[in-house]
């Protein structure tokens, strides 16, 4: 039961199909993560075990964290770099087996750090789906120079293909920093025309925009409404983002 | 019992009337906050449940956090944005009732996100006092453009009026970021002449300066002494601030 | 037991003689720190109780944290500022006694905030060793102006002397911020030629480079390999650093 609800904009409850929030876990302790989910887990839809972090932690702790997140109706998934390592080393089957073993219901398929021919990426999405995973796929390169070589038309065409191949959401890369990458310039400001172009071709509810910094979250909420899907949210900022979505913080107060 | 106290400047113990520290809680888990207060709660005087965060959390958890903070002789209070929402929606009575119900001994009255005629703000402070709350009132606008329209004379005159109306402390707005707002320029440096002007008219012990960044905390401690009241301190920085106040960190070592 | 180890570069296990990670504790709660060490303590070799923080916390909590860190085969030690305070106040013996009483197996000897004649610093290192501590000694001034007066030749000569006096590791100062200090310029970029000059004279495995920012960690790993010793790592970044050392994050993926 909440207090003060008479002061707030309503929000769709989970499971939601829009207004999704994806949070980045960089290695939280189990008890700390659990304490955080007790207070704010209802505002988290997806939880990414960042990049290859799942390699360095004990299975028992990962399993416990995965279960804990699922108990809050959150979908935990493995970071894209883990998939890319498995692809590069030709170990996809082993990777799927281990991810199942740990209890992950979803994985991310990306090509941010490697060259994966587009057809192969689509095939991987299909294989992961067949293996029983929900797939989130990411568009964009982690290296800013390579990322800039990717034209907006190619991005859009890839997005459509990956949705067709079975991805449930397309993640637009912005890393943890959110600067000089994808739709953000070197100061972290969004390139509004590119976003418009993407949204002319791809349904907004199928896109999850990585927006690690508060000004980026505010930008997207004011531009696309509070049902925009946002990702790479720091675990410290879960409550802040929810208040931004509901006009409960100065930046969006009275503007929604 | 402390070790190494022979190495340290003394500090007044709680309850203090100066050298106050106000910490910003953006949505900490109960257990995490409790663990933090066990080690550093003695250095926290006021604890702000930031902006409208209290709207999105379960009553039970808020009540538990409020009780836990009070058990450490800390005064928890609701963020100003919550008051402003209630004022805007003409729900002040309901807001007071809920805040009492949750156990808050204090509230913040601000007009950072809304236009509230000065007379009405004073009346709200009086009403909150009559309703049994300690009142902290904040001066400043969250929007930097509007904030700059507020002259220093008007700020000072408002401060005096709000203290007369019953506020126990005047908070000088700097937000979580601390840049381009109030007495901080766009780089986060303090405008020393404005601070001097304010202190010519208002007693320093009645002012709580928001100073989220370490260089700002250092500035205030070196300029005004370690009994300056500082606020919007990140929960990660409680111990750091206490060491700055006591010359136990490089920035203030040997300078107090 | 780990999952996905077939995807990863191997790393030497503790106790290690290189590839050391030193983490900065700015005042973590006991339970929060314990939860964090359960998931990532195997990647921490040294744990610094930052600057003078040990003065302001209760003995019982410090003892419990020291024990907890030791149970993970981590060497906890007192920050250099604490030593400098004791030196300045002529209380070295009392300081050693208290540090022993709290269970610290190691201390840092530095002169970042004070002028300590070089001969005296060496003598302090020897005394601390005789008193039973492992000693880490730090080179560099916290004040950037003073820091710049220290020539590279003098730095190197001091390093050699301090190792001879019994220091097990030389820490190269970068503070918590990592900018405009030591081997970092005002943007936080490393001065590569100075690093090369140092390494021409001092064995790399005897140096622990403070590198608080991710780009600095990446720089050192790519320049000197993943067995470089790195310090002042934020407690939030322990897992991230381990993945950088093992090519499991985009920044070092495929480059090790």
């Amino acid at each position: 039961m909440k207090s003060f609800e008479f002061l707030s904009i309503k929000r769709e409850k989970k499971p939601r199909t829009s207004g999704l929030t994806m949070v980045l876990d960089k290695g939280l302790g189990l008890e700390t993560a659990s304490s955080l989910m007790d207070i704010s887990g209802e505002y988290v839809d997806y939880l990414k075990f960042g990049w290859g972090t799942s390699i360095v932690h004990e299975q028992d702790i990962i399993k416990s964290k995965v279960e804990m997140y699922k108990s809050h109706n959150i979908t935990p998934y493995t970071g894209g770099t883990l998939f890319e390592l498995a692809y590069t080393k030709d170990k996809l089957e082993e990777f799927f087996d281990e991810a199942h073993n740990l209890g992950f219901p979803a994985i991310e398929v990306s090509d941010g750090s490697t060259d994966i021919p587009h057809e192969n990426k689509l095939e991987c999405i299909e294989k992961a789906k067949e293996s029983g995973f929900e797939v989130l796929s990411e568009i964009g390169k982690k290296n800013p120079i390579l990322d800039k070589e990717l034209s907006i038309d190619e991005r859009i065409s890839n997005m459509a293909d990956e949705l067709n191949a079975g991805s449930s959401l397309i993640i637009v890369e912005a890393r943890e920093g959110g600067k000089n990458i994808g739709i953000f310039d070197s100061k972290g400001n969004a390139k509004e025309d590119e976003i418009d172009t993407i949204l002319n071709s791809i349904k907004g509810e199928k896109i999850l925009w990585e927006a690690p910094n508060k000004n980026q979250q505010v930008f997207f909420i004011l531009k696309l409404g509070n049902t925009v899907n946002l990702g790479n949210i720091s675990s410290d900022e879960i409550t802040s983002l929810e208040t931004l979505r509901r006009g409960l913080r100065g930046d969006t107060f009275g503007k929604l």
Side-chain angles (χ1 to χ4, degrees), chain A:
Chain A
M1 197 177 149
K2 304 292 195 301
S3 293
F4 306 118
E5 285 220 299
F6 53 93
L7 299 178
S8 174
I9 293 172
K10 288 268 177 300
R11 269 257 289 158
E12 203 183 336
K13 293 214 180 322
K14 291 199 288 187
R16 285 176 276 255
T17 52
S18 66
L20 303 170
T21 293
M22 176 268 272
V23 169
L24 174 64
D25 182 336
K26 305 195 293 177
L28 293 172
L30 169 61
E31 295 77 11
T32 300
S34 180
S35 176
L36 187 62
M37 291 306 112
D38 284 343
I39 194 167
S40 55
E42 63 185 300
Y43 305 118
V44 181
D45 301 275
Y46 288 91
L47 197 300
K48 178 166 67 181
F49 283 61
W51 54 93
T53 56
S54 306
I55 296 181
V56 305
H57 295 152
E58 287 290 325
Q59 282 190 2
D60 288 349
I61 285 193
I62 298 179
K63 282 182 182 173
S64 298
K65 284 177 69 175
V66 164
E67 280 314 302
M68 183 275 294
Y69 285 129
K70 289 202 285 196
S71 77
H72 285 277
N73 297 315
I74 295 165
T75 301
Y77 70 95
T78 55
T81 302
L82 197 52
F83 159 79
E84 295 184 51
L85 280 163
Y87 176 88
T88 306
K89 292 180 188 279
D90 202 17
K91 299 271 192 192
L92 270 191
E93 288 308 316
E94 292 88 336
F95 164 58
F96 290 162
D97 287 349
E98 289 280 47
H100 277 307
N101 176 41
L102 293 171
F104 283 104
I107 68 164
E108 180 180 317
V109 170
S110 62
D111 57 347
S113 299
T114 46
D115 273 324
I116 303 182
H118 185 53
E119 286 309 307
N120 294 20
K121 191 178 177 192
L122 297 178
E123 206 181 302
C124 289
I125 292 169
E126 286 161 3
K127 277 187 189 166
K129 289 280 295 179
E130 281 161 24
S131 174
F133 294 108
E134 176 180 347
V135 178
L136 295 86
S137 67
E138 188 177 61
I139 300 282
K141 295 292 183 186
K142 294 195 190 294
N143 180 323
I145 297 164
L146 296 177
D147 194 63
K148 277 175 188 139
E149 290 176 3
L150 202 59
S151 75
I152 186 75
D153 288 345
E154 200 178 352
R155 273 175 211 267
I156 289 170
S157 158
N158 289 353
M159 287 177 180
D161 291 346
E162 294 180 18
L163 287 169
N164 280 337
S167 292
S168 57
L169 280 171
I170 302 292
I171 299 171
V172 181
E173 168 80 271
R175 307 206 63 192
E176 192 190 350
K179 291 186 181 168
N180 199 23
I181 186 148
I183 47 112
F184 294 116
D185 68 18
S186 61
K187 292 184 170 172
N189 294 318
K191 300 174 194 162
E192 213 160 337
D193 54 335
E194 293 202 5
I195 294 168
D196 292 334
T197 307
I198 291 171
L199 289 172
N200 282 339
S201 302
I202 308 286
K203 274 191 191 166
E205 69 184 51
K206 288 294 176 189
I207 300 179
L208 193 151
W209 308 92
E210 290 189 349
N213 302 322
K214 190 183 78 166
N215 69 319
Q216 298 169 340
Q217 297 159 18
V218 170
F219 164 81
F220 275 114
I221 291 169
L222 294 183
K223 179 176 175 65
L224 300 176
N226 71 0
T227 56
V228 66
N229 302 326
L230 296 173
N232 269 20
I233 306 304
S234 158
S235 54
D236 290 339
E237 302 294 331
I238 297 168
T239 294
S240 169
L241 174 57
E242 183 63 19
T243 58
L244 288 173
R245 287 189 187 277
R246 286 163 69 174
L248 305 175
R249 193 169 183 181
D251 313 78
T252 61
F253 184 104
K255 297 179 184 168
L256 297 175

